[in-house]
Amino acid sequence: MKLLTKLTLTSTLSKIATVILFIILLPVLIDRVAFQSTNRLLKQQAKKVMTNIQTNGIDYYLQGDSTYGSYTLLREEYISLERARHIYSPDTIQTAQRIIEGDTVMYRILNQAFEYNDQVYELEIGKTIASISQYNSPLQRIALYVLGMLTILTLLTDISFTRILLKPLQTIIQTKLINPVFPFKEIPPAIRTTTRDFRYLDNSLIALMNRIKEDFDREREFTSNASHELMTPIGILQTKMENVLLSNDLDETAMGKIMEMMKTLNRLKKIVHSLLLISRIENDQYARQDNIQPEKMIGEIIQELTHRLEDKNIRMAVSLQQHITLRKLNHDLLFQLFYNLINNAIRYNKPDGSIHISDTLAADGSYTIAIRDTGIGIDPSDIDTIFNRFRKKNTIDGEGYGLGLSIVKSIADYHGIRVKVVSEVGTGTTINVVFPSVG
């Protein structure tokens, strides 16, 4: 999962958790606020009543009676004033029932006792619970609507800000890890960012890419120079051995030893030629301007290898589409690629075996040539290493030394071709050469 996705998911989940918690607590909070507001209102009304009594006297309410009571039209509020036997301590606000005209009603009631002219009075002011809670549901809905809009707005803001914040990291991944093709021709420039961590990561990757490029260039230069330098002594040795063979004073034993030496020297010469070929491919010394018909090229390769097929009595079946043309490739290199693969299919096949070459044109435009043999197969643990130089397993003879498939890998990488290997020991091997597009 991408970092942006994780951050977005974390932000979304945290906001959802906050919304759920708010929804759970909202009724309690609104009730608490409503009751606190009611308590303040009751205290204000009590203060107003006391002010009227101080200003106008107690008769302003009692008017000669021992009690006073006043209710609103809908009995939502009331004020009660009467003589009391003793002073309550302290003043209280509570929720209690009152019977009004035969109906039992729940009120939020303030009780306050005071003395006036040496007489104890009790003031009671009440407000119905129903009137206090009548706005709770609308307030909850409004609060939920506002919370929902704020959550969506903050979520969109977080996603936008996160994208902007992580854009340098995405640029680093794209330019330093995904787009570069090894071996590096150019090192991408440093990105512009104010985030210290991203700048440190980018500089570290650039330094690492520079070291890799320098090491690879040194290895490539050494391979090229060593191969060139080896050709001279090999040529001299080969010439001297040929001259010795032309002399008439050698017995059969000496001639046999020289022939063995010549055979070893030829193998060494093949290795040097292969290393030179790989070096030239990696140095981008081959043009890619040829148009190739796979069916025609494979036919030429099979014609050259006919004698090897006959030696092992191997049946060859080819079913390639004639109208396919591959463009902007190097003919010689592609010829070498398929020559090595078909030659290996013959070399590691069983006597009286078979080889089948077919192709597939996929809907996405990719083109695949499959070479399937009935040979000895490759152990699954060795498949990832068969393209490494000088690594060869299950060889029948001493030829090859692992450079054949290494050349195949270099040519494939040079053309952007993928080579997939599927094999089973004792059953055979299928090698798929996948071209990204046709035409």
Side-chain angles (χ1 to χ4, degrees):
M1 187 180 293
K2 292 184 177 180
L3 179 59
L4 176 61
T5 306
K6 286 187 176 182
L7 291 176
T8 303
L9 185 60
T10 301
S11 177
T12 304
L13 291 177
S14 64
K15 285 177 172 53
I16 291 175
T18 303
V19 169
I20 293 174
L21 181 62
F22 185 80
I23 291 174
I24 295 174
L25 296 178
L26 184 60
V28 178
L29 294 175
I30 290 181
D31 285 342
R32 185 178 181 87
V33 171
F35 276 95
Q36 288 179 349
S37 177
T38 301
N39 293 343
R40 287 194 298 270
L41 179 63
L42 293 176
K43 290 178 181 179
Q44 290 174 0
Q45 290 177 337
K47 184 177 180 181
K48 184 177 180 181
V49 170
M50 296 304 299
T51 301
N52 287 334
I53 292 174
Q54 294 295 332
T55 304
N56 302 317
I58 192 73
D59 288 334
Y60 178 80
Y61 289 99
L62 296 179
Q63 296 181 358
D65 295 333
S66 60
T67 62
Y68 168 80
S70 176
Y71 292 86
T72 59
L73 181 62
L74 300 177
R75 296 178 296 180
E76 292 181 348
E77 298 179 359
Y78 78 89
I79 296 176
S80 173
L81 181 64
E82 61 182 5
R83 291 185 177 89
R85 297 179 180 179
H86 60 277
I87 296 179
Y88 298 96
S89 61
D91 298 339
T92 60
I93 297 179
Q94 61 182 344
T95 300
Q97 294 180 346
R98 291 293 184 267
I99 299 176
I100 307 297
E101 298 179 358
D103 292 333
T104 302
V105 183
M106 292 295 296
Y107 282 92
R108 186 69 174 170
I109 301 172
L110 179 144
N111 296 97
Q112 181 175 331
F114 62 93
E115 286 188 37
Y116 186 84
N117 293 334
D118 298 326
Q119 179 63 45
V120 179
Y121 293 90
E122 180 183 2
L123 174 65
E124 187 175 283
I125 302 175
K127 186 176 179 64
T128 60
I129 299 298
S131 64
I132 295 174
S133 304
Q134 64 180 334
Y135 298 109
N136 286 14
S137 295
L139 286 175
Q140 290 180 24
R141 286 196 297 271
I142 294 173
L144 289 177
Y145 292 151
V146 173
L147 178 64
M149 289 187 292
L150 289 177
T151 301
I152 294 173
L153 180 62
T154 55
L155 183 60
L156 294 176
T157 303
D158 288 349
I159 293 174
S160 301
F161 180 74
T162 303
R163 286 183 179 276
I164 296 173
L165 185 65
L166 294 181
K167 188 175 181 180
L169 179 61
Q170 294 175 346
T171 304
I172 292 173
I173 294 173
Q174 196 71 28
T175 58
K176 305 301 189 301
L177 299 177
I178 297 177
N179 289 340
V181 178
F182 186 82
F184 311 126
K185 294 181 179 179
E186 295 182 358
I187 303 299
I191 65 169
R192 298 177 61 183
T193 177
T194 57
T195 305
R196 183 181 302 174
D197 294 335
F198 292 162
R199 190 163 57 245
Y200 176 77
L201 175 63
D202 187 53
N203 292 335
S204 300
L205 287 175
I206 290 175
L208 178 62
M209 294 174 72
N210 281 321
R211 287 197 299 269
I212 293 174
K213 185 177 184 301
E214 292 172 359
D215 292 342
F216 183 79
D217 289 342
R218 282 195 295 267
E219 179 186 352
R220 185 166 55 185
E221 184 179 0
F222 170 78
T223 301
S224 179
N225 293 338
S227 300
H228 279 292
E229 294 298 328
L230 283 173
M231 289 303 296
T232 300
I234 289 174
I236 294 173
L237 286 173
Q238 191 174 22
T239 301
K240 289 184 176 181
M241 289 182 182
E242 289 174 353
N243 291 334
V244 172
L245 288 175
L246 292 175
S247 62
N248 298 323
D249 56 349
L250 293 177
D251 56 20
E252 292 184 2
T253 303
M255 187 173 293
K257 291 182 179 180
I258 293 177
M259 291 296 293
E260 289 293 330
M261 294 170 63
M262 285 286 290
K263 186 177 180 180
T264 303
L265 194 62
N266 285 330
R267 291 176 182 170
L268 181 59
K269 192 174 182 180
K270 288 182 181 179
I271 293 174
V272 173
H273 278 300
S274 297
L275 290 174
L276 282 173
L277 177 61
I278 294 173
S279 178
R280 292 191 184 106
I281 295 171
E282 292 173 345
N283 285 324
D284 199 7
Q285 295 181 7
Y286 290 91
R288 288 168 286 191
Q289 301 296 330
D290 300 329
N291 296 332
I292 299 170
Q293 292 181 314
E295 189 264 345
K296 184 178 179 180
M297 175 182 286
I298 298 295
E300 294 174 357
I301 295 172
I302 293 174
Q303 190 174 1
E304 288 192 17
L305 295 172
T306 300
H307 65 285
R308 300 206 61 183
L309 292 169
E310 293 175 351
D311 290 341
K312 300 183 71 171
N313 194 27
I314 294 175
R315 299 180 304 277
M316 174 68 72
V318 180
S319 55
L320 299 177
Q321 303 175 57
Q322 296 181 358
H323 67 279
I324 298 294
T325 299
L326 304 174
R327 305 183 187 280
K328 293 186 178 181
L329 302 172
N330 185 279
H331 179 276
D332 295 335
L333 292 181
L334 206 63
F335 188 96
Q336 185 70 41
L337 182 147
F338 282 108
Y339 184 94
N340 287 355
L341 292 178
I342 297 174
N343 187 43
N344 280 349
I346 298 172
R347 177 185 299 175
Y348 302 116
N349 212 324
K350 300 173 183 178
D352 302 321
S354 64
I355 299 174
H356 183 253
I357 302 176
S358 60
D359 62 353
T360 304
L361 183 59
D364 60 359
S366 62
Y367 176 67
T368 303
I369 296 179
I371 303 173
R372 185 172 69 251
D373 64 60
T374 56
I376 61 176
I378 305 171
D379 190 276
S381 61
D382 295 333
I383 290 179
D384 293 335
T385 63
I386 61 175
F387 293 103
N388 295 348
R389 299 178 189 180
F390 302 104
R391 291 290 300 274
K392 180 71 75 176
K393 298 293 182 73
N394 298 329
T395 56
I396 297 175
D397 48 41
E399 299 181 0
Y401 293 89
L403 284 177
L405 289 180
S406 182
I407 292 174
V408 169
K409 183 68 165 59
S410 298
I411 295 173
D413 291 343
Y414 185 65
H415 290 90
I417 299 169
R418 289 180 292 132
V419 180
K420 300 179 181 179
V421 180
V422 179
S423 185
E424 184 177 348
V425 176
T427 301
T429 301
T430 299
I431 297 182
N432 296 303
V433 182
V434 184
F435 296 84
S437 63
V438 175

